[in-house]
C-alpha cells in the first residue's frame, strides 16, 4: 500500500466545493435528502429532532433519498406516526414495530432496523424524558463528549450490557447526526465540532479518491482507507474560513456527497473517464487512473 494525503489539493477542493454547494449547487443540487421535513413539522422542534435522530440511526447501506422519503411517509401516516414517539415505542411490542416499519419500506433489514430504532427510542424515553436535547445538555453540548457517550453508554438487557445507541454510536452516523443537529435543526451551541471527523461513507470516500486528495496504490477493503480520508479533511480545512468562522471537516460532507452521488458515480472505474467532466464543478481536480469500488473493495491506481 502506498497512500498520499495531499492537503494543499484538499484545501482547493474544499473551498471550491463549499462555495459551489452554497451558491449554484453541485451538479445542479443544493439540498440533501434529510432537508425536507414531514408535513406540519416545525424546523428545530422536538418532533423534528426525533425524526432526524431515529431516521439517521438506520442510515447505513441505504439509498439516502429513498430512506428519507420512506421516513417522511411513515411520519405523515397517523397509523405509523407513533414510531417517532419514544414513550409509544416503549409501550409497543417489537413485532408490531417490525411490521409497521415495513409499511413504507422504512426498514430494509427488518428485524435489525426495528431493534436499532426501538432501542434508541426507549433509551431517550427512559434516560432523557423522550428528548435528545436533554442528553446533549448532559454532555454540556460538547461534541467530543457526545460521541464518546454515544459509543460507551450502555444498559442492562436480559442480564447483559448492551449499547444505548446502536448504530447512532457508529463512526459514520454519530458525526452525521451532529452535522444534522447543526445544519438541519439549527443547534448553534454545539461545542468542539472541529474535532468531529467527517462521516465517511462510500460517497465521501469516492469523491476524496477521484479528486486526488487521497491517492496512490491500494487494493483492499474500503474501510482501511477511512482513516486516511478522515485525516485528509481534518488537515485540508485548517486555515480556511467561511461565514466569519474557521471551516471544519463537517462543512465539506454535503458537497463531497453530492459530487460523488451525482457525478463521480458515473466515472469509468478503470479508465477514469467521466461523461460529466465538462460540466463538473470539480473537473480541474478529477484525477486520472483507476478508482474502483465494488462490494466494499477498493482498487486504487492514481
Amino acid at each position: 500500500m502506498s497512500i498520499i494525503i495531499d492537503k494543499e489539493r484538499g484545501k482547493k477542493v474544499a473551498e471550491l466545493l463549499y462555495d459551489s454547494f452554497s451558491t449554484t449547487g453541485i451538479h445542479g443540487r443544493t439540498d440533501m435528502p434529510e432537508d425536507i421535513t414531514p408535513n406540519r413539522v416545525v424546523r428545530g422542534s422536538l418532533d423534528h429532532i426525533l425524526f432526524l435522530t431515529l431516521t439517521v440511526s438506520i442510515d447505513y447501506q441505504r439509498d439516502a433519498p429513498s430512506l428519507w422519503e420512506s421516513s417522511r411517509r411513515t411520519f405523515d401516516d397517523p397509523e405509523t406516526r407513533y414510531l417517532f414517539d419514544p414513550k409509544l415505542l416503549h409501550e409497543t411490542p417489537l413485532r408490531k414495530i417490525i411490521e409497521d416499519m415495513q409499511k413504507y419500506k422504512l426498514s430494509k433489514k427488518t428485524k435489525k432496523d426495528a431493534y436499532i430504532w426501538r432501542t434508541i427510542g426507549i433509551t431517550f424515553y427512559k434516560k432523557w424524558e423522550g428528548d435528545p436535547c436533554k442528553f446533549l445538555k448532559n454532555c454540556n453540548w460538547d461534541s467530543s463528549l457526545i460521541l464518546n457517550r454515544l459509543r460507551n453508554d450502555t444498559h442492562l438487557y436480559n442480564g447483559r450490557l448492551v449499547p444505548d445507541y446502536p448504530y447512532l454510536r457508529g463512526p459514520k452516523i454519530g458525526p452525521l447526526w451532529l452535522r444534522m443537529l447543526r445544519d438541519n435543526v439549527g443547534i448553534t451551541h454545539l461545542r468542539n465540532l472541529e474535532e468531529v471527523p467527517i462521516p465517511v461513507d462510500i460517497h465521501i470516500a469516492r469523491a476524496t479518491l477521484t479528486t486526488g486528495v487521497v491517492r496512490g496504490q491500494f487494493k483492499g477493503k474500503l474501510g482501511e482507507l477511512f482513516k486516511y480520508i478522515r485525516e485528509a479533511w481534518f488537515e485540508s480545512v485548517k486555515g480556511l474560513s467561511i461565514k466569519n468562522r474557521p471551516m471544519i471537516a463537517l462543512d465539506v460532507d454535503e458537497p463531497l456527497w453530492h459530487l460523488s452521488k451525482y457525478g463521480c458515480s458515473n466515472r469509468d472505474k478503470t479508465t477514469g473517464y467521466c461523461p460529466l467532466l465538462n460540466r463538473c464543478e470539480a473537473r480541474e481536480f478529477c484525477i486520472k487512473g483507476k478508482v474502483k469500488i465494488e462490494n466494499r473493495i477498493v482498487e486504487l491506481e492514481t
Side-chain angles (χ1 to χ4, degrees):
M1 178 170 65
S2 174
I3 296 296
I4 295 169
I5 294 175
D6 190 338
K7 64 181 181 181
E8 292 307 316
R9 190 181 184 97
K11 281 188 189 304
K12 295 173 184 176
V13 172
E15 281 189 302
L16 174 71
L17 291 182
Y18 184 86
D19 289 345
S20 296
F21 188 65
S22 303
T23 53
T24 56
I26 293 175
H27 294 291
R29 296 171 181 268
T30 59
D31 62 320
M32 290 292 284
E34 67 271 14
D35 289 349
I36 305 169
T37 60
N39 292 329
R40 295 180 296 281
V41 168
V42 177
R43 181 177 182 266
S45 65
L46 178 57
D47 279 347
H48 188 208
I49 293 169
L50 288 168
F51 166 73
L52 287 171
T53 301
L54 290 164
T55 307
V56 80
S57 72
I58 58 170
D59 187 5
Y60 66 98
Q61 298 175 10
R62 296 290 297 268
D63 175 69
S66 61
L67 167 65
W68 290 92
E69 171 64 21
S70 294
S71 191
R72 284 189 291 272
R73 292 179 68 193
T74 303
F75 193 103
D76 289 337
D77 185 336
E79 292 186 358
T80 51
R81 169 68 184 82
Y82 79 90
L83 288 167
F84 298 85
D85 185 323
K87 182 176 185 291
L88 296 178
L89 283 171
H90 176 250
E91 295 170 355
T92 304
L94 180 59
R95 64 181 181 276
K96 178 165 175 55
I97 293 171
I98 290 172
E99 179 182 335
D100 288 340
M101 285 183 71
Q102 293 176 65
K103 185 172 183 179
Y104 299 105
K105 300 180 180 178
L106 176 57
S107 61
K108 186 175 181 182
K109 298 184 177 180
T110 52
K111 292 182 180 178
K112 182 177 180 179
D113 288 350
Y115 169 78
I116 293 168
W117 190 284
R118 183 173 184 265
T119 299
I120 292 170
I122 290 174
T123 293
F124 284 121
Y125 171 68
K126 287 187 172 181
K127 293 192 173 183
W128 308 109
E129 299 176 359
D131 186 351
C133 283
K134 294 190 175 181
F135 166 67
L136 302 174
K137 185 178 181 181
N138 188 262
C139 295
N140 200 23
W141 306 96
D142 184 325
S143 300
S144 296
L145 181 56
I146 291 166
L147 292 179
N148 185 269
R149 292 277 299 276
L150 288 176
R151 285 192 298 268
N152 295 308
D153 282 10
T154 58
H155 62 276
L156 204 60
Y157 180 76
N158 287 343
R160 62 189 180 94
L161 288 174
V162 297
D164 278 352
Y165 309 98
Y167 276 69
L168 193 62
R169 68 202 287 267
K172 170 204 160 184
I173 295 180
L176 187 57
W177 183 49
L178 289 176
R179 182 184 64 67
M180 290 178 183
L181 291 174
R182 183 194 72 172
D183 295 344
N184 295 87
V185 177
I187 296 177
T188 58
H189 44 283
L190 287 167
R191 299 187 299 113
N192 299 322
L193 280 169
E194 71 278 0
E195 297 176 13
V196 178
I198 193 168
V200 185
D201 64 2
I202 190 170
H203 288 303
I204 303 304
R206 183 187 288 117
T208 305
L209 298 176
T210 55
T211 54
V213 178
V214 172
R215 62 181 184 271
Q217 307 292 312
F218 176 79
K219 184 174 182 179
K221 294 180 180 178
L222 177 60
E224 293 178 36
L225 291 182
F226 283 7
K227 63 181 179 181
Y228 298 99
I229 294 166
R230 293 186 190 105
E231 181 185 347
W233 294 112
F234 265 134
E235 295 298 322
S236 293
V237 299
K238 287 181 179 177
L240 299 178
S241 296
I242 53 170
K243 299 178 181 176
N244 298 315
R245 65 167 175 83
M247 181 183 274
I248 63 175
L250 287 180
D251 293 322
V252 291
D253 174 45
E254 293 174 301
L256 286 167
W257 189 86
H258 275 76
L259 183 68
S260 169
K261 183 167 181 64
Y262 301 109
C264 307
S265 297
N266 297 282
R267 172 184 160 123
D268 186 279
K269 298 177 177 66
T270 302
T271 67
Y273 168 75
C274 181
L276 304 179
L277 182 67
N278 289 337
R279 60 181 181 85
C280 179
E281 288 77 11
R283 57 187 173 273
E284 66 182 288
F285 297 104
C286 187
I287 200 162
K288 295 179 180 179
K290 179 190 284 189
V291 181
K292 185 177 182 181
I293 306 174
E294 287 184 353
N295 300 318
R296 315 296 290 183
I297 299 295
V298 182
E299 291 182 46
L300 185 65
E301 296 174 13
T302 54

